[in-house]
Amino acid sequence: MGGQRGVAVLGATGSIGVSTLDVVNRYPERFRVVALSAHTRWRALLKQCLIYRPRYAVFPGPEAGELQRLLRAANCSTEVLGEPQGLEAVARDAEVDVVVAAIVGAAGLPPAMAAARAGKTILLANKEALVMAGPVFMEAVARHGATLLPVDSEHSAVFQVLPPGFSGNLQAAGIRRILLTASGGPFRTLSATELSQATPRQACAHPTWNMGPKISVDSATLMNKGLEVIEARWLFNAHAEQIQVVVHPQSVVHSLVEYADGSVLAQLGHPDMRTPIAYALGYPERIEAGVPMLDLFRVGPLQFEPPDMARFPCLGLAYQALEREGSAPAVLNAANEVAVAAFLEERISFPAIPAVIRHALDSQPWRSLSSLDDVLEADRDARETAKAWIRGRYR
Ligand code: NAD
Ligand code: MG
């Protein structure tokens, strides 16, 4: 089967994983699912294995044995791998051409690095990996001839409207700025007082996108956009001043590129992650994604406004971390993950999220990053600091 490409979907049971399999499923002649992974919800993984019959399923939980038994009983030859080695092994596997990095958070970094070092095509949804490890990750991609394609809708939009063959030099390509759109999240219009009472359930009820809980909270704090600013810095080799966030509540314009001649090119579409996923899977071809076409007569007026950094301090903290470089983005990301988890468990308030992050950024020593170990150490230390601060204040 000449053109068939082997695909590993890491984080297969999540929102991005499920959307990816929905697109892959439309093209059995193009794609073969070689590996699927999940962290919880082993029954969902079992169902996926019975449909896609991958060679490997990675599952670290105590139910791995039961998963393997049920697969055998159903005459499915999928081999269940545990952790810590499973994810990295499938990311490097010779049968895998494309690694879809759709794990949420820092846990996705080691397998994404393994894929980069094995020279794979990486479809990156796991923005936290790039935020933490920017220089180390990009160096591995370049050195090992890996191909990095964005799945994040904003970065896919930018990628789609960059000039063909963009070399990584914005100025040479006649580009002045990258305009990243943000929906503004579910709390866009809330007052500071209302924000102090915001609950996890409200934070997870996103107005335009249907996503996992962590990124939903990140969208509510605008940290998601902050992480995306740092992601854009690495993907497009842009300085902080060349990246402008634009709040656009309708989520129809997914991002824009401003050129020196005054042209601003945008990518529009129905807010459905299957579009950027299909673009990355088919690249450089366009393939069908199962997404309804955008009906301009029904979208109505489109609004654009500047972000409010006073009500949403996380965005400013991300710009600060970007400017400090080195370990600062890893510290920002680690403290944010700890704070978001504590908020989801109702242990801290919504405005405490940026407070935790600010504390970690101000108290952690700055380090330069030259290896994956440096990144993981900065991540570990920042998590401890953030957890200790929360314990000290909230018990
Ligand atoms: P999700 O919570 O729906 O799914 C996460 C997946 O990762 C699940 O399969 C889960 O089992 C797995 N996972 C969780 N913790 C893990 C761990 N410690 N080790 C290994 N696997 C683990 O999340 P999502 O919304 O699909 O987001 C995934 C990534 O994609 C995130 O980095 C997010 O920022 C990014 N992203 C998501 C969207 C979206 O629309 N959902 C859009 C852009 C970017
Ligand atoms: Mg996004």
Side-chain angles (χ1 to χ4, degrees), residues 127 152-155 215 224-225 228:
K127 63 192 87 183
D152 217 344
S153 57
E154 296 76 5
H155 305 74
I215 183 177
N224 182 49
K225 212 48 53 179
E228 290 182 357

Side-chain angles (χ1 to χ4, degrees), residues 247-301:
V247 175
H248 165 48
Q250 291 79 18
S251 301
V252 165
V253 176
H254 298 305
S255 278
L256 318 88
V257 172
E258 181 184 88
Y259 284 86
D261 60 5
S263 291
V264 178
L265 304 195
Q267 185 257 357
L268 286 71
H270 200 69
D272 187 320
M273 287 308 292
R274 288 176 300 175
T275 295
I277 290 167
Y279 186 70
L281 278 171
Y283 181 78
E285 257 181 85
R286 297 262 179 192
I287 61 176
E288 273 182 45
V291 176
M293 292 297 119
L294 184 67
D295 182 348
L296 284 175
F297 299 126
R298 291 187 62 178
V299 284

Side-chain angles (χ1 to χ4, degrees), residues 9-19 37-41 48 58-60 83 87 101-108 111 124-129 151-154 209-216 218 224 227-228 231 272-273 276:
V9 184
L10 310 184
T13 54
S15 157
I16 293 290
V18 167
S19 294
S37 91
H39 194 63
T40 52
R41 304 187 46 229
Q48 291 180 333
V58 183
F59 187 78
E83 279 304 358
L87 284 172
I103 288 173
V104 58
L124 187 78
N126 180 211
K127 63 192 87 183
E128 294 93 343
V151 164
D152 217 344
S153 57
E154 296 76 5
W209 295 98
N210 188 0
M211 311 179 286
K214 193 265 179 180
I215 183 177
S216 296
D218 285 347
N224 182 49
L227 298 177
E228 290 182 357
E231 186 185 10
D272 187 320
M273 287 308 292

